Amino acid sequence: METTGDPSESIKRFGLTQITPAGPALVDVIFIHGLDGHPYRTWASEATKTFWPAQLLPPILEEEKARILVYGYNADVTPVADGVLSKEKIHNHAQNLLAELWANRKQQQATDRPIIFIAHSLGGLIVKRALVHSSGIRGNKIAHLRSIYVSTHAILFFGTPHKGFDIESWISRWKPKPGSVEFPNHIDVPPQIIHSLGIKSETLENLDRQFIQLCYKISIYFFYEAKPTNIRGSWHYVVEEESAAPIIQDVEYASFQQDHTHMCRFENESSPGYSIVTEAIQRYAAEAPKKIQADRRSERAEGKVRIDAPVREFRGDDIGLVDKADNTLGSRGGVPSPSGLLDSETSPSSRQKRYYIVPRERVKHFVGRDAQLRQISSYFATRSANRPQVLVLHALGGQGKSQIAIEYCQISREQYAGIFWVNASSEDMAVQSYARIAAAVSGSSSSEIRDGQAVVKTVMDYLSNWDQAWLLVFDNYDKPEEFPHVQKFLPEFGHGHIIFTSRRNEELDRLGSLLEIPAMNAHEGISLLLRGHSDQDIEQHLMTASKIVDRLGGLPLAIDQAAAYIRSQRLPLHLLGNFLTTYDPKRREVLSHIPPRFWEYGTMQIHGKEERKKALNAFTTWELSLEQLKTDGSFPSDEMTHFLTLAAFFNPVRIEEWLFRYYSERDHCIEDCAAWEQLLSAPDKESADESDEGSGQDSDHSSYQRSADDPDQGNNGTASLASNDKIDDEINDDHYNSRLSDLASDANPRDWICERRWNSVQFWDVLSKFKDLSLIQSLEGPPEKAIFSLHPLIRDWLQLRDEEYSPQRMTAESVAVVAASAKSSDYEDMSLEQRTSLLAHIDAVVLSDNHFTKEQHQLGHDIQNCGNAYRLAAFYDDQGHYKAAEKLLSRISATQTKLLGKEHKDTLETMHLCGALLHSQGILDESEKVKRQTVQLKKRILGEEHESTLRSLISLAATLQQQYKFDGAESRERQLLQIHENKFGKEHLSTIKCSTMLASTLRLQGKLAEAEKMQREALHVGETVLGRHHRIRVEVMHKLLPTLQEQRKNEEAEKIGREVLHLSESIHGKKYPTTLSIKSLLAVTLFLRGRNEEAVKSCRKVLELHEKVRGKNHPNTLDCRDRLAWMLSHDESSYDEAEQLCRQTLVLRKDVLGSEHPGTLYSMHLLGWILSRQESSYEEAEQLLRETCQLRNKVLGSEHVNTLYSMNLLGEILSRQESSYEEAEQLLRETCQLRKKVLGIEHPDTLSSMRLLGDILSQHESSYDEAEQLFRETYQLRKRVVGSEHLSTLYSMSLLGWLLSQQESSYDEAEQILHETYQLRKKVQGSEHPNTIETMRDLAQVLRQQGKCDDVEEISQQISEVKTETNTALDNSPNLESPVEVASLPDQRENSRKKKRWLFNIRKHLKKGYDDTHGLNPQPGTGSTASSKFFS
């Protein structure tokens, strides 16, 4: 019947209806609805009534000449008009479909026409059942029905429950909706349907097993719903993805944003999924005629109708078996033929036997692993074929060993005539697997084979003598002790390959080569996590997904669990980042999550008498490994479990032997040993006996004595808070000592101390056992330097797995271990690698403490753990992690003040470190306040010359120096140095620090020569006493660099800078604050030496490290940003970048530090300077610098050096504007006076102000005399302070010579000075340097004024011969008059004003950076905090 008019009226409720006009056709396209569906309403949209099979599809298939039909059957689950429910089973519907199709096609004389089925929901099961029946037809009387199977080319399944669905739960959740088709007003599902469609339905399992044998010839496309259905206000997937799209080789999968009901309805070409579906139908229709024609020829060539045994619908003995044997005649690519049975009567010569006995537990979404699959193929391809080759796939549980093996089986089916899977979890399981293989190859039933030895012999003989290639896979060989004779199961001969999968690696290399299976790489992990999403969506959320994969350690099982968990939580992609936020508090839930249905991960049992398959998650798979410790017996399992659990609380990447050794070798009673300590070390009996004999005291007294000497044993106490040189004092506070206890043990104190001997060999053996069980990820030797790592998820599992080793208990023990390492280790003797590792472990235990420990017992909150907390804080401080140190110290300080009092020595030491931390973070005022208070208390309690008091005095001096508070500073520091020399000697570490402090103060006051001398002496003493590679030498060299820079000894500064940078990197690492500071100073040195490009590149790298290590908002990072802006501003092409960078930094400083912080004011000052270099920005620069001057005057004071810098720069800007000369002159006179008072007349900054004032005065002839006096004084002072060849001295000479050349009475002296300047510049800077050329022009001018034309011509000739890029640029500058033209003017007085302005600009263009630092030089006005702890 063909439809006309409204399709809804012409389509039959039951049977076939043709919906395309009659005419010649090449292919039949048949639509079949689902449960409670309708041949029209199932495919028609509700909104527009578009019936796409009739209205949208025919034009697409016009060239393919398709006949389109719909099929209806009684699948009602609610009463219809006649009130009759469907009582038929799936196979009844399938038989009816076959009969209808045959009759219709017979009438059309088209029984050979190709068929494409399009089926929704239950309709897909009916199609499958019909094809299984059709393919197994026997008997000539019904042979015609086989043509339906032979003619079928493709099937498109829409939401078909191949593995069933929770129909009862679905019915109970459904809310009646009037007029609903798929979900009706009243639900009354017959028990036959429930039985057939339910989860784990035996009917569906059998149907699935039988249908999969037909897939080799049929093109299949699985579509599954990507949008849940709203049922009673909650969202549910009717058919889960795992059921709608089962794993089958060479099929297509897709989903689109529609729910179960609407996924097969399309309103127009823009509907979700429309283009995917119609493309597939058109493609299948185009290729079907030729393909089916070829299949028919093959069918006729066989010359017989299949006479296979009828398909037994409910046979269940082959669940899990993909196929037993495969007749390859007429099959595609070595895929099994439909029969699936072994014809034992067919000889090998006429028929090749193929076997594929592999479990069905192949994950649907297998992704990646190409590298491992290639390695397996390559291994077998390059090995000799004389005897079977063995490859062992080794990895921890959940890494995907079995899935890789299954995938290799899948892709290698054409390579092997037989592929056999063996459950190697025990010998009994292996025998059962061999029984199935024996049954397959012999043609008998596995139940008939009862003799295990005979089974093994049968398989061994068959494989050894078989002339075809075969593959054996021994899966889950994880318990060699329970299967010791596995080699008896391995054929010695034959053309075979053997694969083992195991999480054990001990001696498995004797079986064959080991292939370590790594974690998934980022690309593979992301593909698995975001499966089913479009490439565009994945690309958009790549970064977040990568972080999730990284957090899960690339473990496939965990990633798949996470994907299932995310799906179960209905978490949309744009909120994917929420998973990371909630993972840590919910990691037990996530890693234990198993979807209620269709979870492919299990114990890989095949079937038979073996135990039923058990679902596995990331946690349960590792429990299996840990349980083997109990059965092994080589080590005490409880002690090993304790140790492994403890290790999980450290950073999992690199856990070293010394971490536990330091803790185990501490002085403590043997009763205080943890169980794992007794396993890994033994008591030194001689030391114990000697200690006991020498004591002579009762137990209570000895206990007290031990606490008094070192009251902070194990986990507790606050005595000797500072390690190394911080505090060496004992605690005698009985009340305080009475609070101390050892959290690692509840034992009573003993009257002797037991030293223990660490056993590195035993430690290595224990780790080797863990490695053998794949409980640790890696192990490196030798034993005395063992290093191991944990997979991050095994770490999570260990932290959460057992209440016996509670997280709180293990956290406290892990804190004690790292604190013992921090205390026992001399930072000077620790390698960079060790310090970096210890820092990572401290981070880990502090994080665990915050996560697992109650707040009142967290580090620093409890007096018993203040000692450990202080050690961790001190180590954080030493490593430059100031915020972490500050957080711990604030806790400790509050606890100690409350319980011990403010004047207790421990409280004072905490105050000392708090002050140092404030300094390091640039909070100088608060730091000064805390340090002054600490010094006052220490003087009163400990005495003025106590070592602890002196250390605090040095620390206070460092803060005052950083604030440029020099009032009396030099005399105080000289006195402090004298005390140190008298008390400790010149070679003591504290004396060296004090000497370096004084030298820095001298440098900041402009006494550069004396500062350099002191620094070199300190460097010599430090090198002699401590060696060239000591960190103190690094600090002294670090301080020497700016001293050399300010004297323009840049060549030596670069040499020393490179040396100290190498030392700092080797001692501290490339990311340590001191290292970064040295890199910055070196970059400045390169810049001052004219290597601008190299300097800027280096500064950019330093900034990148700062941002990565310290963060974009850290003061040191902001300092580095300003330093880069300063460099960029010297290049006109980089002005814009410099200005933008500086503006951004200023905004950040205001947000982070506040508008009045010294660092913020520095950025304002720098921005003003950058703007002042562009004439168009003078007005903004002036306004900004006026504001900076006011704020610096308010915050720092009128005499602070940074305030004077801003005044000086403002005066310079004003001097460029004729209308502001008077204000500029007044401001610069004030600046000169203040700088002379604060810094002294010889300080470079004072001389700079004097020179600038002279510039202004030289603009007026009436002020020539005063200007000349200033220029002369500046020149003489610079010549005395920095030498006659220093660039700033040469600059002063040039200015003096030029000014004299403006006065006719001084021509001779001007000529003399300019000639001398020219000779010195030529020597220092070279004859082609722009400054040298400028001096030549000045000299030519004064000669011209004297009428010495020959000399002028000679100099002019020399100038014209000099070819430099700088000179060319100047000569071509549109903003300046030609220097040669200016030099030849007849009346110099007439043009003096013009020439002065030109000279002023040209000097700014050429000499920037040589005369005045403008408060911008190398180290910003707030000062670098990188090495402040050096004095603390």
Side-chain angles (χ1 to χ4, degrees):
M1 173 181 176
E2 301 172 12
T3 64
T4 59
D6 184 0
S8 64
E9 298 177 357
S10 56
I11 291 176
K12 296 188 296 185
R13 176 72 177 84
F14 304 120
L16 283 167
T17 303
Q18 181 175 330
I19 59 176
T20 51
L26 298 179
V27 60
D28 282 347
V29 179
I30 304 169
F31 287 79
I32 304 177
H33 65 76
L35 182 66
D36 208 48
H38 186 277
Y40 169 77
R41 290 193 294 270
T42 293
W43 312 100
S45 68
E46 295 174 332
T48 63
K49 307 302 180 183
T50 302
F51 182 53
W52 72 277
Q55 295 170 270
L56 300 180
L57 188 59
I60 295 175
L61 300 179
E62 185 176 357
E63 293 186 8
E64 287 74 19
K65 293 182 171 55
R67 184 174 70 124
I68 302 176
L69 305 93
V70 293
Y71 178 72
Y73 60 98
N74 188 1
D76 294 334
V77 295
T78 57
V80 288
D82 57 8
V84 179
L85 294 173
S86 171
K87 302 296 182 181
E88 296 179 323
K89 296 181 180 180
I90 293 175
H91 73 272
N92 299 131
H93 291 304
Q95 288 173 342
N96 293 340
L97 174 63
L98 286 174
E100 286 267 4
L101 277 175
W102 168 256
N104 181 283
R105 288 157 61 85
K106 180 66 176 176
Q107 292 173 0
Q108 295 285 328
Q109 297 182 354
T111 55
D112 290 346
R113 184 182 295 161
I115 299 173
I116 298 173
F117 286 106
I118 301 175
H120 179 241
S121 190
L122 175 64
L125 301 179
I126 293 173
V127 171
K128 288 170 63 176
R129 187 67 188 82
L131 294 179
V132 167
H133 180 68
S134 174
S135 69
I137 290 294
R138 68 171 187 164
N140 291 331
K141 293 182 180 181
I142 56 174
H144 59 278
L145 294 180
R146 179 175 170 80
S147 69
I148 304 300
Y149 160 70
V150 176
S151 298
T152 298
H153 173 63
I155 310 173
L156 287 80
F157 292 102
F158 286 80
T160 297
H162 300 279
K163 295 188 176 183
F165 75 110
D166 193 353
I167 187 170
E168 292 180 282
S169 176
W170 171 72
I171 292 171
S172 67
R173 289 194 300 257
W174 179 249
K175 180 180 181 180
K177 180 179 179 182
S180 170
V181 176
E182 291 291 334
F183 307 111
N185 295 328
H186 174 66
I187 303 294
D188 186 11
V189 184
Q192 299 99 315
I193 296 293
I194 295 178
H195 176 77
S196 299
L197 298 184
I199 297 172
K200 299 182 180 178
S201 162
E202 187 176 4
T203 299
L204 292 185
E205 286 188 1
N206 288 327
L207 177 59
D208 205 24
R209 174 177 52 81
Q210 294 159 3
F211 178 72
I212 200 171
Q213 300 183 37
L214 314 181
C215 295
Y216 72 94
K217 73 170 290 291
I218 300 174
S219 296
I220 294 175
Y221 213 134
F222 290 125
F223 295 98
Y224 53 94
E225 57 209 78
K227 183 178 179 181
T229 300
N230 189 350
I231 303 177
R232 286 186 177 177
S234 61
W235 298 88
H236 303 275
Y237 290 95
V238 176
V239 180
E240 295 283 352
E241 176 187 342
E242 291 80 0
S243 180
I247 299 299
I248 298 178
Q249 192 174 9
D250 296 330
V251 302
E252 296 180 88
Y253 300 89
S255 68
F256 33 87
Q257 288 298 317
Q258 291 288 12
D259 60 21
H260 182 76
T261 302
H262 297 88
M263 67 186 302
C264 56
R265 298 174 179 175
F266 304 117
E267 294 184 359
N268 50 52
E269 292 85 352
S270 301
S271 298
Y274 173 81
S275 59
I276 299 176
V277 172
T278 54
E279 184 280 328
I281 296 174
Q282 185 180 32
R283 172 162 43 90
Y284 293 152
E287 64 190 20
K290 289 185 179 180
K291 173 63 173 60
I292 296 304
Q293 187 179 11
D295 288 350
R296 291 250 173 226
R297 285 197 300 268
S298 176
E299 181 88 358
R300 287 191 291 270
E302 291 191 26
K304 66 182 182 70
V305 176
R306 304 261 172 182
I307 56 173
D308 296 339
V311 177
R312 290 165 292 176
E313 180 174 346
F314 298 104
R315 186 181 66 190
D317 60 340
D318 284 337
I319 299 174
L321 176 66
V322 176
D323 63 303
K324 283 185 178 180
D326 172 20
N327 180 356
T328 59
L329 292 176
S331 67
R332 181 180 68 183
V335 183
S337 67
S339 70
L341 300 176
L342 174 65
D343 185 356
S344 58
E345 297 178 1
T346 305
S347 66
S349 60
S350 62
R351 186 177 184 183
Q352 177 184 330
K353 300 177 182 178
R354 301 184 71 86
Y355 307 93
Y356 188 75
I357 304 178
V358 175
R360 289 285 303 282
E361 290 86 352
R362 173 177 180 252
V363 292
K364 173 187 172 186
H365 300 286
F366 185 91
V367 298
R369 299 309 205 173
D370 295 333
Q372 288 69 48
L373 292 170
R374 284 195 300 269
Q375 286 177 299
I376 297 172
S377 299
S378 176
Y379 174 80
F380 288 136
T382 56
R383 296 302 188 275
S384 169
N386 295 333
R387 57 185 303 160
Q389 301 300 309
V390 181
L391 181 65
V392 181
L393 308 185
H394 172 259
L396 75 160
Q399 198 73 286
K401 305 177 296 295
S402 298
Q403 291 301 326
I404 290 174
I406 291 178
E407 190 68 14
Y408 179 74
C409 293
Q410 288 279 356
I411 65 177
S412 304
R413 291 180 68 163
E414 295 184 11
Q415 179 181 343
Y416 300 101
I419 300 179
F420 310 100
W421 196 273
V422 179
N423 184 336
S425 59
S426 69
E427 187 167 346
D428 289 342
M429 294 293 101
V431 169
Q432 290 187 39
S433 298
Y434 265 51
R436 291 187 55 74
I437 299 172
V441 299
S442 65
S444 58
S445 170
S446 59
S447 60
E448 299 174 5
I449 306 176
R450 301 183 182 278
D451 187 342
Q453 292 184 353
V455 164
V456 176
K457 186 176 186 306
T458 298
V459 175
M460 297 271 282
D461 290 345
Y462 185 87
L463 296 179
S464 295
N465 297 313
W466 198 14
D467 61 356
Q468 300 296 320
W470 49 265
L471 173 67
L472 266 177
V473 179
F474 286 79
D475 187 38
N476 288 337
Y477 186 60
D478 298 331
K479 300 179 181 179
E481 60 277 1
E482 296 183 14
F483 194 177
H485 306 300
V486 67
Q487 288 176 306
K488 294 182 180 180
F489 286 69
L490 308 183
E492 296 186 14
F493 307 101
H495 303 281
H497 298 152
I498 301 172
I499 293 176
F500 278 81
T501 72
S502 178
R503 61 182 70 182
R504 301 283 291 273
N505 68 353
E506 186 177 3
E507 299 183 351
L508 286 190
D509 54 349
R510 295 188 178 185
L511 293 176
S513 297
L514 258 66
L515 175 61
E516 293 288 343
I517 303 299
M520 277 186 155
N521 60 40
H523 175 73
E524 294 171 337
I526 292 171
S527 299
L528 178 59
L529 181 71
L530 300 183
R531 61 179 182 266
H533 292 282
S534 67
D535 292 343
Q536 182 178 358
D537 286 341
I538 293 175
E539 183 67 27
Q540 186 176 353
H541 299 89
L542 202 61
M543 187 66 69
T544 304
S546 177
K547 291 178 180 178
I548 294 175
V549 170
D550 183 62
R551 179 61 184 88
L552 298 176
L555 192 77
L557 175 56
I559 296 172
D560 217 353
Q561 279 185 253
Y565 180 82
I566 290 170
R567 184 180 175 88
S568 72
Q569 299 297 307
R570 306 289 189 253
L571 190 67
L573 270 185
H574 70 275
L575 296 178
L576 190 62
N578 291 357
F579 176 84
L580 284 172
T581 305
T582 60
Y583 172 75
D584 278 331
K586 291 188 175 182
R587 51 188 170 165
R588 182 192 292 276
E589 179 183 346
V590 174
L591 297 177
S592 300
H593 176 76
I594 297 177
R597 299 177 293 278
F598 316 124
W599 186 241
E600 298 98 338
Y601 300 96
T603 49
M604 290 291 186
Q605 312 294 345
I606 293 184
H607 86 89
K609 296 181 180 179
E610 303 176 29
E611 61 180 282
R612 190 171 182 83
K613 171 188 169 184
K614 296 179 180 178
L616 292 179
N617 59 43
F619 277 12
T620 55
T621 187
W622 298 319
E623 286 290 349
L624 297 175
S625 295
L626 198 59
E627 286 176 4
Q628 294 183 46
L629 285 176
K630 299 178 181 179
T631 59
D632 180 85
S634 55
F635 293 101
S637 61
D638 289 344
E639 286 84 342
M640 291 188 69
T641 303
H642 182 180
F643 172 76
L644 187 62
T645 306
L646 174 64
F649 287 80
F650 303 119
N651 183 279
V653 176
R654 183 183 179 88
I655 309 175
E656 295 96 332
E657 178 260 2
W658 56 262
L659 187 68
F660 303 96
R661 171 162 47 84
Y662 281 140
Y663 180 70
S664 183
E665 291 181 345
R666 72 197 187 286
D667 290 342
H668 60 292
C669 296
I670 191 170
E671 286 82 357
D672 291 341
C673 285
W676 63 268
E677 287 186 85
Q678 298 187 30
L679 172 67
L680 301 175
S681 59
D684 185 343
K685 294 185 178 180
E686 290 185 10
S687 297
D689 293 341
E690 290 174 5
S691 176
D692 191 31
E693 290 171 3
S695 173
Q697 298 175 336
D698 59 20
S699 60
D700 291 339
H701 184 76
S702 293
S703 172
Y704 173 79
Q705 184 64 41
R706 178 172 63 89
S707 295
D709 289 341
D710 188 359
D712 190 15
Q713 297 297 328
N715 293 325
N716 40 62
T718 58
S720 301
L721 290 176
S723 57
N724 304 312
D725 64 319
K726 304 229 174 189
I727 299 181
D728 301 317
D729 308 305
E730 298 177 355
I731 297 297
N732 297 313
D733 190 324
D734 294 342
H735 172 72
Y736 174 53
N737 286 327
S738 67
R739 295 176 178 271
L740 303 178
S741 63
D742 192 340
L743 295 182
S745 172
D746 294 329
N748 293 324
R750 299 298 178 184
D751 58 351
W752 50 277
I753 297 174
C754 178
E755 296 182 358
R756 301 188 62 80
R757 287 181 179 174
W758 177 256
N759 191 332
S760 296
V761 175
Q762 180 83 339
F763 182 76
W764 177 265
D765 291 343
V766 167
L767 293 180
S768 297
K769 188 63 182 177
F770 288 138
K771 185 69 171 67
D772 177 44
L773 295 171
S774 295
L775 289 171
I776 61 176
Q777 195 167 29
S778 65
L779 176 62
E780 302 173 19
E784 63 274 10
K785 294 183 180 179
I787 302 170
F788 68 98
S789 66
L790 288 170
H791 191 281
L793 294 190
I794 288 187
R795 178 179 185 254
D796 290 341
W797 161 66
L798 287 168
Q799 287 185 352
L800 301 172
R801 64 172 294 275
D802 198 337
E803 290 189 3
E804 180 182 356
Y805 302 106
S806 68
Q808 294 81 9
R809 173 188 168 187
M810 289 294 97
T811 296
E813 191 169 344
S814 64
V815 167
V817 172
V818 296
S821 295
K823 177 186 177 184
S824 301
S825 308
D826 182 354
Y827 298 164
E828 306 299 339
D829 296 332
M830 291 183 75
S831 67
L832 170 62
E833 193 173 46
Q834 283 180 309
R835 289 199 303 275
T836 303
S837 178
L838 182 56
L839 182 64
H841 295 314
I842 292 175
D843 283 340
V845 301
V846 170
L847 187 64
S848 294
D849 182 64
N850 292 336
H851 185 70
F852 294 118
T853 308
K854 293 182 180 179
E855 184 176 359
Q856 64 268 30
H857 297 301
Q858 286 179 357
L859 282 167
H861 285 316
D862 191 331
I863 193 66
Q864 292 187 356
N865 61 38
C866 278
N868 285 339
Y870 188 96
R871 292 191 191 107
L872 303 190
F875 194 85
Y876 271 137
D877 170 46
D878 182 78
Q879 297 303 300
H881 287 242
Y882 306 126
K883 288 295 183 183
E886 182 183 9
K887 184 176 180 179
L888 287 175
L889 284 172
S890 63
R891 294 182 184 178
I892 299 168
S893 179
T895 302
Q896 290 174 336
T897 301
K898 179 180 178 180
L899 297 178
L900 303 180
K902 195 171 185 179
E903 297 184 358
H904 193 281
K905 287 180 288 184
D906 288 348
T907 310
L908 294 178
E909 282 306 320
T910 303
M911 288 176 63
H912 170 90
L913 189 53
C914 285
L917 282 171
L918 290 168
H919 181 122
S920 299
Q921 296 172 80
I923 311 173
L924 301 179
D925 289 341
E926 186 66 23
S927 174
E928 179 189 352
K929 180 180 177 181
V930 172
K931 288 182 177 182
R932 285 190 183 279
Q933 189 177 9
T934 305
V935 168
Q936 291 171 1
L937 289 170
K938 284 189 173 182
K939 282 182 177 181
R940 181 164 57 82
I941 296 168
L942 303 176
E944 292 192 0
E945 295 191 5
H946 190 280
E947 183 177 358
S948 179
T949 307
L950 295 175
R951 186 167 57 251
S952 293
L953 280 167
I954 295 177
S955 182
L956 174 60
T959 300
L960 295 173
Q961 179 191 97
Q962 205 72 19
Q963 296 172 293
Y964 292 90
K965 294 183 177 180
F966 297 131
D967 186 21
E970 182 180 340
S971 61
R972 285 197 307 271
E973 290 171 19
R974 290 189 185 278
Q975 183 180 3
L976 193 58
L977 177 60
Q978 189 63 48
I979 293 173
H980 274 80
E981 289 179 347
N982 294 338
K983 186 175 179 66
F984 305 113
K986 290 186 177 182
E987 297 179 350
H988 193 273
L989 190 64
S990 296
T991 307
I992 297 174
K993 289 182 178 181
C994 193
S995 174
T996 306
M997 165 66 70
L998 175 58
S1000 295
T1001 299
L1002 293 172
R1003 177 183 68 81
L1004 292 172
Q1005 291 180 305
K1007 300 177 181 180
L1008 301 177
E1010 185 178 1
E1012 180 184 351
K1013 180 181 178 182
M1014 289 196 70
Q1015 287 167 339
R1016 290 189 183 279
E1017 288 177 355
L1019 186 62
H1020 175 72
V1021 172
E1023 183 176 326
T1024 304
V1025 176
L1026 303 172
R1028 293 181 59 83
H1029 297 280
H1030 196 279
R1031 65 193 308 177
I1032 295 302
R1033 183 169 181 264
V1034 170
E1035 294 292 352
V1036 177
M1037 293 174 74
H1038 178 202
K1039 298 293 181 184
L1040 177 59
L1041 282 178
T1043 307
L1044 296 173
Q1045 286 177 346
E1046 290 174 24
Q1047 297 178 84
R1048 297 299 185 264
K1049 298 181 178 181
N1050 293 321
E1051 184 176 354
E1052 185 179 8
E1054 179 182 353
K1055 179 181 178 182
I1056 291 178
R1058 294 192 182 280
E1059 180 184 358
V1060 70
L1061 177 61
H1062 176 74
L1063 285 173
S1064 187
E1065 286 180 341
S1066 64
I1067 294 173
H1068 300 299
K1070 293 184 178 181
K1071 300 177 182 179
Y1072 191 70
T1074 299
T1075 305
L1076 296 179
S1077 177
I1078 293 169
K1079 285 183 177 179
S1080 289
L1081 289 173
L1082 183 57
V1084 171
T1085 301
L1086 296 173
F1087 191 84
L1088 294 176
R1089 297 199 69 191
R1091 287 144 65 179
N1092 295 15
E1093 185 176 347
E1094 182 182 356
V1096 170
K1097 183 178 179 181
S1098 177
C1099 196
R1100 289 189 191 276
K1101 288 183 178 179
V1102 176
L1103 176 58
E1104 184 180 343
L1105 282 173
H1106 268 300
E1107 291 180 340
K1108 184 177 181 180
V1109 176
R1110 316 301 296 278
K1112 291 186 177 181
N1113 295 342
H1114 191 277
N1116 286 4
T1117 306
L1118 300 177
D1119 284 350
C1120 195
R1121 288 172 63 91
D1122 277 337
R1123 189 172 294 116
L1124 177 59
W1126 173 76
M1127 292 183 183
L1128 293 171
S1129 68
H1130 286 72
D1131 185 347
E1132 290 185 9
S1133 64
S1134 303
Y1135 272 176
D1136 291 341
E1137 183 184 358
E1139 180 183 339
Q1140 183 181 4
L1141 184 62
C1142 193
R1143 289 188 187 276
Q1144 292 172 350
T1145 307
L1146 179 57
V1147 172
L1148 287 172
R1149 285 197 191 269
K1150 286 182 177 179
D1151 290 342
V1152 176
L1153 304 174
S1155 298
E1156 297 185 355
H1157 188 276
T1160 306
L1161 300 181
Y1162 169 76
S1163 291
M1164 291 175 64
H1165 178 89
L1166 174 62
L1167 179 58
W1169 183 77
I1170 292 174
L1171 293 172
S1172 73
R1173 301 182 63 71
Q1174 306 171 64
E1175 190 171 352
S1176 60
S1177 303
Y1178 279 178
E1179 186 176 347
E1180 183 182 0
E1182 178 185 339
Q1183 181 181 352
L1184 189 61
L1185 284 167
R1186 287 187 186 278
E1187 183 182 358
T1188 306
C1189 283
Q1190 291 175 358
L1191 287 172
R1192 279 185 162 175
N1193 187 61
K1194 173 186 174 183
V1195 175
L1196 304 175
S1198 61
E1199 297 184 358
H1200 193 282
V1201 290
N1202 288 349
T1203 306
L1204 299 178
Y1205 275 132
S1206 295
M1207 290 172 62
N1208 198 72
L1209 182 54
L1210 177 59
E1212 181 179 320
I1213 293 175
L1214 293 173
S1215 72
R1216 301 180 195 176
Q1217 307 168 58
E1218 292 188 25
S1219 61
S1220 302
Y1221 277 176
E1222 291 184 7
E1223 184 182 1
E1225 180 182 340
Q1226 181 182 352
L1227 187 61
L1228 288 170
R1229 286 187 185 278
E1230 183 181 357
T1231 305
C1232 280
Q1233 293 301 320
L1234 288 171
R1235 279 185 162 175
K1236 287 178 181 178
K1237 175 184 176 182
V1238 175
L1239 303 175
I1241 196 171
E1242 295 184 355
H1243 194 280
D1245 291 343
T1246 307
L1247 298 176
S1248 175
S1249 293
M1250 292 169 62
R1251 188 275 306 161
L1252 186 54
L1253 178 59
D1255 268 346
I1256 293 177
L1257 295 172
S1258 69
Q1259 306 300 311
H1260 303 278
E1261 293 183 21
S1262 61
S1263 304
Y1264 274 2
D1265 291 342
E1266 185 179 0
E1268 179 184 339
Q1269 182 182 353
L1270 281 170
F1271 282 166
R1272 287 187 186 278
E1273 187 176 6
T1274 304
Y1275 164 57
Q1276 293 297 332
L1277 287 170
R1278 281 180 167 170
K1279 184 176 180 181
R1280 184 170 77 243
V1281 174
V1282 294
S1284 60
E1285 296 183 359
H1286 193 275
L1287 295 179
S1288 62
T1289 307
L1290 298 178
Y1291 185 29
S1292 292
M1293 290 178 68
S1294 294
L1295 287 174
L1296 178 59
W1298 170 81
L1299 183 61
L1300 293 173
S1301 72
Q1302 308 304 302
Q1303 306 170 60
E1304 188 174 350
S1305 60
S1306 303
Y1307 282 169
D1308 290 340
E1309 185 180 2
E1311 177 185 349
Q1312 179 185 350
I1313 291 176
L1314 288 172
H1315 188 273
E1316 183 182 355
T1317 306
Y1318 164 63
Q1319 294 298 330
L1320 288 172
R1321 282 199 184 279
K1322 186 166 65 171
K1323 174 184 176 183
V1324 175
Q1325 295 181 287
S1327 59
E1328 296 181 354
H1329 194 280
N1331 289 350
T1332 307
I1333 296 171
E1334 182 197 350
T1335 304
M1336 293 171 68
R1337 289 169 176 160
D1338 285 346
L1339 180 58
Q1341 179 185 355
V1342 75
L1343 292 172
R1344 176 69 179 175
Q1345 302 302 329
Q1346 298 177 80
K1348 299 180 180 180
C1349 297
D1350 293 341
D1351 293 336
V1352 171
E1353 184 178 351
E1354 180 182 350
I1355 292 177
S1356 297
Q1357 182 64 30
Q1358 291 177 11
I1359 293 175
S1360 64
E1361 291 175 356
V1362 174
K1363 303 294 184 181
T1364 65
E1365 294 181 5
T1366 304
N1367 190 46
T1368 302
L1370 286 173
D1371 286 344
N1372 295 330
S1373 172
N1375 299 320
L1376 302 175
E1377 296 185 49
S1378 168
V1380 176
E1381 290 178 3
V1382 173
S1384 61
L1385 289 174
D1387 187 351
Q1388 66 90 18
R1389 288 186 179 275
E1390 180 180 287
N1391 294 279
S1392 63
R1393 174 75 63 182
K1394 198 172 187 180
K1395 175 172 169 51
K1396 290 169 194 171
R1397 176 59 51 201
W1398 172 78
L1399 280 174
F1400 186 85
N1401 286 331
I1402 197 71
R1403 290 187 187 107
K1404 289 299 172 189
H1405 185 76
L1406 295 176
K1407 299 185 179 69
K1408 44 190 174 278
Y1410 292 134
D1411 182 50
D1412 191 352
T1413 65
H1414 300 291
L1416 308 164
N1417 192 20
Q1419 303 172 87
T1422 53
S1424 172
T1425 62
S1427 60
S1428 61
K1429 73 171 72 60
F1430 172 71
F1431 300 117
S1432 300

